[in-house]
Amino acid sequence: MTDICVLRDITARYGDVTVIDRLNLAIPEGAFVTLLGPSGCGKSTTLRMIGGFETPAAGQVLLAGKDVTHVAPNHRDTNLVFQDYALFPHMTVAENIAFGLKRKGAPRDVIRQRVDELMQLVRLPDMAQRLPAMLSGGQRQRVALARALARDPALLLLDEPLGALDAKLREEMQHELKSLQRATGKAFVFVTHDQEEALTMSDVVVVMNKGRIEQQGAPVELYRDPQSRFVASFIGKSNFFEGRLQEASAGIGRVEVAGGTLSARLGSAPLKAGDAVVVAVRPEKVALATERPQGNAIEARLQSLSYKGAKSTALFADAFGRRIEMDFNPEERRIEAGDSSVWLGWQDADGIVLAA
Amino acid sequence: MTDICVLRDITARYGDVTVIDRLNLAIPEGAFVTLLGPSGCGKSTTLRMIGGFETPAAGQVLLAGKDVTHVAPNHRDTNLVFQDYALFPHMTVAENIAFGLKRKGAPRDVIRQRVDELMQLVRLPDMAQRLPAMLSGGQRQRVALARALARDPALLLLDEPLGALDAKLREEMQHELKSLQRATGKAFVFVTHDQEEALTMSDVVVVMNKGRIEQQGAPVELYRDPQSRFVASFIGKSNFFEGRLQEASAGIGRVEVAGGTLSARLGSAPLKAGDAVVVAVRPEKVALATERPQGNAIEARLQSLSYKGAKSTALFADAFGRRIEMDFNPEERRIEAGDSSVWLGWQDADGIVLAA
Amino acid sequence: MTRSFAWVGSWLLQAYYMLFVAFLVLPIFVMILMSFKNSEFLGFPIKGLTLDWYGAALADPAILGAVATTAFVAAVSTLIALVVGTWAAVALERLQGLAKAVAFVILCIPLAAPGIISAISLRIFAFDIGLELGVPAIIMAHTVHAVPFVSLMVLARLSHLPKSQTEAAKDLGASPITAFCLITLPFLKPSLIGASLFGLLLSMDDFNRSFFLGGFEPTLPILVFERMSTGISPQINAIASIVLLVTLSMGFVGERTLRRIGARK
Amino acid sequence: MTRSFAWVGSWLLQAYYMLFVAFLVLPIFVMILMSFKNSEFLGFPIKGLTLDWYGAALADPAILGAVATTAFVAAVSTLIALVVGTWAAVALERLQGLAKAVAFVILCIPLAAPGIISAISLRIFAFDIGLELGVPAIIMAHTVHAVPFVSLMVLARLSHLPKSQTEAAKDLGASPITAFCLITLPFLKPSLIGASLFGLLLSMDDFNRSFFLGGFEPTLPILVFERMSTGISPQINAIASIVLLVTLSMGFVGERTLRRIGARK
């Protein structure tokens, strides 16, 4: 698979602030790539540089092999779905979708046919003559998609387009976007700060933080093998135990933490004995026992219990002030509030040792 | 346990529209009661009638045994935490908290002591001289709580106070609110449209819809034994199979649906053979098999898969156009996309028969 | 009990309010009434009504001439101010930081200057640039006066144009100029209509500038003023009532138009 | 390449803009300049500068008297308009539906009426209610003129006061009146300051109403107008420059104050 878009050593600055720091990224053809990160991490700026709305201070943007770093958006073969949709309020749905085609000077009947086709594709027939103000949030979203797809761009860019929708509609649109991407076979670059959205939709998730890429990979990889503390806490939840690496062998590290020693898989970054590290453990991997279990064990007291229907969350605290979260199935196990201390444990393979 | 507040046959109208229809509700002393429902269900209006900001068209509001239906808010022993916090922008944190005490004519040093005490309680020391504009969302929330608690009300009312906070802070404040409620021993009436929030925090959840109470009970009761289709879909998710009740015996109903017969527990509402009903099944109760299982079985094809880290969701569709969601643990089972049809099944006790 | 007190209080408050509001419009109402009175004396009691004063006003060639001059000055100065003011607003919006602040303050100074001061300065200026007093000088003065209003109204709306609107147009292949014509201008339409109406009213109602820069063709306010030197007459009332009606209608139509446009968005 | 063209274009645009903006303030600048010129002739070239015209203006008892009258009229009419206008706004906010719309339109009519029409109607009204021309009549006219502005400014801000603010005050034990004084009034503070300044400027700069309702004590604009009948002189320029300076300073101080209050919120 070739790469439709490549960013080479991109740097971006606003005044004196470096918002993107020598970033390298390749977007494979036909892939659903998500840029994920907290607000201010540079994900939107990266997207806007691909679209031509920002010019990098250094580095190159390649589109289908050609350097487009200094090409204006109206001469670039990308289209952007804006966060606020940016539908033109004085134009009907059909006029909005036709806008890009008219700029190309396409003949009238070609435009009409393409607009019909796109309105079928995004499932909005019979809306051609409505003004955007008369549409619901989900419908506006669909018009914005159709408009951006109208010029058949090499790459579709989406800047948090689901942010304004409510939870139910959001989930529906996630399914639709994913199947639209499959149907068109185009590469999509999707920006979001919502980790669940990123996991659900993407082929590749690129996790960004402070203008740099922390980790990229398939959703399962990122969830199972986070390679930094940031990724382990930003994608899903993790319990962290800070300590110092004692020894590393056969992919398992032994970490000295307050009150004992923990064992866990080693992350891919090179670590050596004596390094400050954290052991990260997912809440659903934590098991409860009344007796001290073999292997990893932390003695703690229950702080609070919250019932969430399909799962429950128990919050424990240990003698060293650490808070440990445990997710469990309330159908399979009951935890009673009480004052006695309990033991929490997990398999070595369920924890991961990361640089602190 | 006596009831601190009782609503008797409350009706509320805006113009010709009846927003609350003969509602009866009792708030037990010291309980955390949540009014849960979609927007426009009348939950906020109910809260505002307890606080005295709306006067019911009919019915009575009793507070600590006394009829306060026509008593103005400034003469009522309740305090409200507003959705937008309603902090006074020209007053410091300390002045905001002291506002209610000054209206009572409390002496200066009593006020100062109580303000200090409250700022300790909500963990906001050293903020006394700040203006609200200089505080973060979570801090404003805490000031609003302290201000509402200052007059030591018989009942604290909270109108979606966590709506404006981001996910992380929201979860933190849920824990804090719950422990604050335990610490003060006061009854809290909390309004929200977020079912997870309601389940997590409440002793009693009152589910409202269209101005009426659909069901009330402990969180576990509502999730396990929803008594209406509305509750089954509003609290958690459910798959629904529409059909007609064939026979009911020993707490189990047999329901004829398109393509076969399903068995499930009967809900508490009286149903008789021939009634139109739905069978509701939680996504996490659905099991997958390649052969037709014993008991409940639906043949379906996989539509889409979404990975969410700790769980995955598979969306199936059957020959009758029904969409069936199944949640599963991606560590325990893999589902591959494919064209062949599969069988979905569940235990009789995991479904519930409800009026359609 | 408390409730019925509150009710009476609220009723009294509203009654007082109505009385007071009536007081605000009473002078205008009396003026219109007197223009229909069949007597030269502008006081009560009114013994009979007549339309004669209107007939006389509308048959007076001086008045008709003044109406024509007023309309011409208003139309031309508004048109120029509209183009120049919009352009100035767009240019100002592109400036950054200090330059923007300075340009904005400079734009506001002519607005804040009292009418008579502004008139004096424009008269000196006209004298210094060799522009003779008369209709062109009035148009110059009205234009200079109207431009800041146009610019501020356009700026106010321009600041509400999401950046994404013009970006989307460019993303879809529009050049910056096409994007301005197809997206920015239509977005500014309510401001432009509002500014036109405001400019017309400003020019039609202006006394100071028209007086100090006028020649031998008076605008309507100047004519009314000159006639007043012989005392207020029912005929002046008739002219004043017509002017008032036209002004209010323009305001009303403008408000309706803007509301209709607003509702579509 | 495209970029440097754009840069030149943008630079040219800015240069043009600066020139144009300069043209807007040029008349005012020339007027001020002429007030320092040591000659009666108000044109170029300027051969020498002097402060004599200012000295003469400030030593003229007629001018000093006019300043006192102007200040008195402005202060009294603004004070009354502030109280009445705020009260009218609060009352209007409590009305509902049609009553509110009607009250609002009535409030706007005096605003939309041209200055000279308003002045004529107020003069007839003063005559009919037996109020003699002079300072009290001017105060009446200025008050009636200022009230709608005050009301609209207060209303604009009142509509941004979240209902929860006064509800919270009542929830915490405040009576409706206490809630108004402790919460609503402080919230309105920026509007009230803005309306005061605007009312003062409106009164100080008014020509039409002061002219038609005035007696033997002229306000400053009237005095300037009367002196103009003998032609524009450097002394008038000096007075005009001082008035302009005072006006702009008031506007500037007001803007700063409002901005400071705004930043605190």
Side-chain angles (χ1 to χ4, degrees), chain B residues 233-245:
Chain B
S233 69
F234 195 76
I235 296 194
K237 284 190 160 194
S238 293
N239 294 299
F240 292 108
F241 303 90
E242 290 174 5
R244 205 159 282 281
L245 189 62

Side-chain angles (χ1 to χ4, degrees), chain B residues 25-45:
Chain B
L25 181 65
I27 312 290
E29 226 164 289
F32 196 118
V33 177
T34 297
L35 306 182
L36 171 70
S39 65
C41 73
K43 55 191 192 300
S44 277
T45 306

Side-chain angles (χ1 to χ4, degrees), chain A residues 64-95:
Chain A
K66 278 192 303 186
D67 183 345
V68 296
T69 317
H70 295 288
V71 174
N74 44 330
H75 297 299
R76 252 185 226 212
D77 196 12
T78 58
N79 281 117
L80 177 56
V81 177
F82 288 82
Q83 191 167 9
D84 62 356
Y85 313 150
L87 299 181
F88 305 133
H90 56 294
M91 298 185 190
T92 62
V93 167
E95 287 166 351

Side-chain angles (χ1 to χ4, degrees), chain A residues 73 192 196 214 244 276 325 332:
Chain A
T192 183
E196 198 174 308
E214 284 269 344
R244 205 160 281 282
E325 247 184 78
E332 288 170 3

Side-chain angles (χ1 to χ4, degrees), chain B residues 60-349:
Chain B
Q60 276 186 312
V61 180
L62 303 183
L63 196 65
K66 279 192 301 187
D67 184 344
V68 296
T69 317
H70 295 288
V71 173
N74 43 332
H75 297 300
R76 254 185 225 210
D77 195 13
T78 58
N79 281 117
L80 178 56
V81 177
F82 289 82
Q83 191 167 8
D84 62 357
Y85 313 149
L87 299 181
F88 305 132
H90 56 294
M91 298 184 191
T92 62
V93 166
E95 287 167 350
N96 264 285
I97 299 175
F99 189 92
L101 300 167
K102 278 196 192 146
R103 300 287 83 66
K104 269 188 171 170
R108 260 171 164 244
D109 48 336
V110 172
I111 293 181
R112 189 179 307 153
Q113 202 191 324
R114 177 89 178 122
V115 169
D116 282 350
E117 191 185 306
L118 285 159
M119 292 190 41
Q120 292 291 340
L121 184 70
V122 299
R123 302 205 275 138
L124 268 184
D126 315 323
M127 299 264 167
Q129 297 317 312
R130 301 230 184 141
L131 287 174
M134 296 155 72
L135 303 179
S136 72
Q139 291 170 337
R140 281 182 213 184
Q141 162 71 77
R142 291 197 179 98
V143 176
L145 269 169
R147 189 178 69 174
L149 287 168
R151 282 165 70 97
D152 198 21
L155 188 58
L156 190 74
L157 310 171
L158 302 106
D159 191 4
E160 305 213 27
L162 306 183
L165 306 180
D166 65 34
K168 219 166 187 110
L169 196 54
R170 206 175 160 122
E171 205 176 335
E172 204 182 304
M173 284 305 302
Q174 286 173 11
H175 282 291
E176 279 193 31
L177 260 184
K178 185 69 191 151
S179 47
L180 192 65
Q181 190 258 335
R182 280 213 203 93
T184 58
K186 264 181 216 313
F188 278 29
V189 182
F190 185 92
V191 159
T192 184
H193 63 270
D194 181 333
Q195 50 101 13
E196 198 174 308
E197 196 164 283
L199 293 182
T200 300
M201 302 171 71
S202 321
D203 297 317
V204 178
V205 177
V206 179
V207 185
M208 292 184 65
N209 189 28
K210 295 179 187 162
R212 317 185 70 217
I213 294 177
E214 285 269 343
Q215 189 175 349
Q216 54 181 306
V220 185
E221 270 170 59
L222 290 172
Y223 190 80
R224 291 201 189 148
D225 299 310
Q227 293 306 332
S228 70
R229 185 174 179 154
F230 175 81
V231 175
S233 69
F234 195 76
I235 296 194
K237 284 190 160 194
S238 293
N239 294 299
F240 292 108
F241 303 90
E242 290 174 5
R244 205 159 282 281
L245 189 62
Q246 274 186 343
E247 56 165 311
S249 67
I252 296 289
R254 290 184 59 77
V255 179
E256 199 187 337
V257 300
T261 312
L262 300 175
S263 298
R265 276 184 300 142
L266 288 165
S268 62
L271 291 168
K272 60 180 193 303
D275 284 353
V277 295
V278 283
V279 177
V281 185
R282 299 284 182 197
E284 70 268 19
K285 298 297 187 188
V286 175
L288 179 78
T290 44
E291 306 278 302
R292 182 183 176 118
Q294 289 262 307
N296 300 306
I298 298 277
E299 195 176 12
R301 272 168 215 277
L302 182 65
Q303 296 287 301
S304 71
L305 258 179
S306 37
Y307 178 73
K308 290 170 183 168
K311 71 166 183 178
S312 279
T313 300
L315 190 65
F316 297 91
D318 73 1
F320 308 97
R322 291 183 289 226
R323 290 156 66 93
I324 302 129
E325 248 185 75
M326 170 182 151
D327 285 347
F328 62 97
N329 184 339
E331 304 277 298
E332 288 170 2
R333 148 183 289 294
R334 279 184 71 80
I335 295 180
E336 295 290 341
D339 248 2
S340 60
S341 69
V342 294
W343 288 92
L344 302 173
W346 57 90
Q347 305 293 317
D348 289 359

